[in-house]
Amino acid sequence: QVQLVESGGRLVQTGDSLTLSCAASGGRTFGTYAVGWFRQAPGKERTFVAGIDWSGGTTDFVDSVKGRFSISRDNAKNTVYLRINSLRPEDTAVYYCAADTQAPARVIRTIADAYRYWGQGTQVTVSS
């Protein structure tokens, strides 16, 4: 059983930057599975925004955040980071991290159903 805890969400202003963290514990060794970040705005579906494979060598982003979001992992600290630059009001959402323990190496899946373990989410609110 993998446990995930997100942190770092807060109220920010348009143009600010923010780093979200996803700390993992339990279950499989952290460095053996992919991690994805999803977000869910009020009244909308949860959607994929970024992912990183087990080694950190492969990343993927939804087109709408490319160039503003970056993702990294520190396997020694069992943590994945999502860096968000130039925040916009439309980035307002609850951000979730999730573990995909079935993905092969260098594969990042973008469908929520592929991820078995989820954190509780962290709220990011961007004021205009």
Side-chain angles (χ1 to χ4, degrees):
Q1 187 86 7
V2 176
Q3 290 87 41
L4 302 171
V5 178
E6 303 94 336
S7 62
R10 60 186 175 89
L11 174 63
V12 297
Q13 295 185 340
T14 297
D16 284 351
S17 296
L18 197 62
T19 298
L20 306 181
S21 299
C22 171
S25 62
R28 285 175 52 175
T29 301
F30 180 71
T32 63
Y33 53 83
V35 174
W37 281 95
F38 292 73
R39 66 185 179 186
Q40 186 168 21
K44 296 187 177 181
E45 294 184 352
R46 189 176 301 187
T47 58
F48 173 87
V49 291
I52 189 165
D53 78 336
W54 64 269
S55 72
T58 300
T59 61
D60 192 20
F61 301 89
V62 67
D63 286 346
S64 61
V65 307
K66 286 180 179 177
R68 295 193 301 121
F69 285 34
S70 61
I71 187 170
S72 61
R73 67 189 298 159
D74 185 341
N75 287 344
K77 295 183 178 179
N78 289 3
T79 303
V80 170
Y81 305 97
L82 183 69
R83 175 70 174 178
I84 309 173
N85 295 321
S86 302
L87 277 152
R88 306 167 180 171
E90 54 264 38
D91 294 320
T92 295
V94 178
Y95 284 72
Y96 299 89
C97 67
D100 181 358
T101 57
Q102 301 298 315
R106 296 181 297 278
V107 172
I108 297 165
R109 298 191 281 189
T110 62
I111 299 173
D113 286 348
Y115 292 77
R116 181 174 181 181
Y117 302 101
W118 291 81
Q120 82 291 345
T122 187
Q123 176 71 51
V124 174
T125 303
V126 185
S127 65
S128 57

